[in-house]
Amino acid sequence: MQFNRSWRLTLFAAVVSVLAACRGSEITQSVTQNVGAVSIAGPTVITKGQGCPAVVRFVASGNRSGMSGVFRWSSSVPTVGTIDSVSGDFTPLAAGFTTITARDIANADYYETQRVEVRLGSCGDGNGNGVLIVTPNPLPLIYGQSGQLTVTKDGASITATWTTSDATCATVDANGLVTALQKTCTAVITATQNGATGSSTVNVVAPSQTGPTGFSFNPLGFQPQFGGAGAACTSQPHTLVSVFTPSGTSAVLTYSSSNPSVVTVNAAGQLSFVGVGTARITGTSTDGQLTAFIDVTVVACNTTPPPNVTSVTVTPSTLALTYGQSGTASATVNGTNLTDTGVNWSVSGELGCVSISPNGNNVTITALQHTCTTSVVATSKQDGTKSGSVSVSVTQGGVTGITVTPPTGFNPTYCAAIPSQTTPPTVLTVTTTPA
């Protein structure tokens, strides 16, 4: 069949016009059908963790003409979460975001999407209590190694009771320290507090190299001291550090002390210093093939507590003097374990009011003015921050009256004619009354 160019162009334009019209109709129809056609019921945030549902179901619905009401599900980021294409069961896998889609199987233009966030956390134990989160989980260990587990509740670190599902594979101490005892095994370590639990799976593998051919202990790096149970100078417990040959190998050790009255050692190799002397600490591999030791010498430390001055007492606490008069005071230093109970005397207050003459812990105070007030201070020689004082007040002094008293039987006479009969000069007694 032959077409001229004009006919071909006309036919091409018609085809393009029809296609454009069809595509425009399809686009318009798809958009119209999609809006509000499908709805998804399900959470937008899902928590993955202990006590949380392992699977969350999403439900889709729609009632538009031409829809089957049966939907196929998909997840845009399967590493964050997967969704069963038929049931809509969503399984959270890791923290992050994904978009799930529900699409009608009869008409793919009918669909809906929902963005879902997966978070890592705790969902509680069903009784209003937060569950325990044990980290790390899992805990990989090489035979002979130890690893530390920690436990939190509602985001806060707590103390829990630790147990192991297989003590021949891995043990756990009261602080969550796990030690691998076999070369290839798995154990579940569980933390429990008030009925709430959390766990971590411990996977033990054999070392990549052959076992160690020997080991030694690092030096302590300090001089252990002992001053009695509870003494502040007694050295704190110290854990031995084992160095295995060749590097990278390890083994579980048992420990013993030749003199437990001086040094004790626990299953983790922690030394406690309980006496003065020398003890040999020996470590042996559990198969009995390797052994090493370290000699530990513990010396006595000074247990005498330091001097402690509590106060200085001056007696009397107040002293009243008149001008020119003197008085005395004494000081006592109070405290425990004192090596010097002496004091230094000084005047604090109005200068020139009094003078002092110290004599050890005693002092003589003399009034130098007619009216003044001052303090005389005793300061401890043992502790210069501790002192006591006597408050001294000086008044004017003087007299308020004079009494003249003649001798007993004094009866003076005077005779001018006979001078010998005149009473001779006599000394009278004068008494003053102080102010």
Side-chain angles (χ1 to χ4, degrees):
M1 184 176 184
Q2 300 294 323
F3 296 97
N4 60 34
R5 184 181 179 194
S6 170
W7 174 252
R8 288 197 298 270
L9 290 174
T10 301
L11 180 61
F12 176 77
V15 172
V16 171
S17 176
V18 171
L19 290 175
C22 290
R23 289 173 181 170
S25 174
E26 289 172 356
I27 293 171
T28 303
Q29 183 184 50
S30 176
V31 171
T32 300
Q33 291 176 339
N34 183 43
V35 175
V38 180
S39 62
I40 295 178
T44 57
V45 177
I46 297 174
T47 302
K48 173 180 171 58
Q50 297 188 47
C52 302
V55 175
V56 177
R57 174 160 292 187
F58 286 85
V59 178
S61 60
N63 57 6
R64 291 289 181 88
S65 176
M67 293 179 58
S68 67
V70 179
F71 301 91
R72 290 291 179 262
W73 297 87
S74 61
S75 171
S76 64
V77 187
T79 56
V80 172
T82 60
I83 190 165
D84 187 277
S85 63
V86 176
S87 66
D89 287 344
F90 181 86
T91 302
L93 299 177
F97 294 88
T98 185
T99 299
I100 61 172
T101 301
R103 193 180 297 273
D104 188 84
I105 63 173
N107 190 334
D109 290 330
Y110 292 113
Y111 66 93
E112 185 57 278
T113 63
Q114 180 167 308
R115 192 167 186 257
V116 177
E117 179 185 3
V118 176
R119 299 176 180 174
L120 301 182
S122 166
C123 295
D125 60 4
N127 298 315
N129 300 315
V131 299
L132 309 188
I133 304 299
V134 179
T135 54
N137 182 23
L139 173 63
L141 289 178
I142 298 174
Y143 166 65
Q145 276 189 336
S146 294
Q148 183 66 53
L149 294 177
T150 58
V151 58
T152 59
K153 181 177 181 180
D154 299 326
S157 296
I158 63 170
T159 300
T161 301
W162 296 92
T163 57
T164 177
S165 64
D166 187 353
T168 64
C169 174
T171 60
V172 61
D173 69 9
N175 299 313
L177 181 68
V178 181
T179 301
L181 302 182
Q182 292 187 27
K183 292 186 177 180
T184 304
C185 62
T186 299
V188 177
I189 306 300
T190 301
T192 304
Q193 186 198 64
N194 298 329
T197 63
S199 62
S200 174
T201 300
V202 177
N203 299 311
V204 183
V205 297
S208 57
Q209 306 180 39
T210 58
T213 59
F215 74 96
S216 61
F217 293 120
N218 278 347
L220 302 189
F222 65 97
Q223 174 61 66
Q225 295 183 332
F226 179 76
C233 68
T234 297
S235 299
Q236 294 298 308
H238 174 80
T239 300
L240 291 173
V241 177
S242 306
V243 179
F244 290 89
T245 305
S247 176
T249 61
S250 62
V252 177
L253 303 177
T254 59
Y255 302 89
S256 63
S257 171
S258 66
N259 193 351
S261 63
V262 174
V263 182
T264 61
V265 59
N266 66 12
Q270 185 183 73
L271 307 181
S272 295
F273 310 105
V274 297
V276 176
T278 299
R280 172 166 291 186
I281 308 301
T282 302
T284 305
S285 60
T286 53
D287 60 9
Q289 300 301 308
L290 304 176
T291 185
F293 65 85
I294 182 172
D295 290 329
V296 179
T297 298
V298 183
V299 300
C301 58
N302 182 15
T303 59
T304 302
N308 179 34
V309 177
T310 57
S311 63
V312 176
T313 303
V314 177
T315 305
S317 59
T318 60
L319 183 63
L321 298 176
T322 58
Y323 169 67
Q325 190 180 16
S326 296
T328 60
S330 61
T332 302
V333 180
N334 308 299
T336 56
N337 307 306
L338 303 181
T339 58
D340 190 342
T341 57
V343 298
N344 293 315
W345 293 96
S346 61
V347 177
S348 174
E350 186 174 344
L351 297 178
C353 178
V354 298
S355 65
I356 58 174
S357 298
N359 181 20
N361 282 25
N362 300 308
V363 65
T364 299
I365 305 169
T366 302
L368 300 181
Q369 295 186 21
H370 291 280
T371 304
C372 60
T373 301
T374 191
S375 294
V376 176
V377 180
T379 303
S380 168
K381 292 182 178 180
Q382 182 85 73
D383 182 352
T385 65
K386 300 295 192 300
S387 62
S389 64
V390 52
S391 177
V392 182
S393 60
V394 180
T395 55
Q396 179 69 34
V399 297
T400 58
I402 299 176
T403 301
V404 179
T405 304
T408 302
F410 178 70
N411 187 18
T413 59
Y414 175 75
C415 182
I418 307 175
S420 60
Q421 294 181 359
T422 299
T423 301
T426 303
V427 176
L428 304 178
T429 301
V430 178
T431 305
T432 63
T433 302

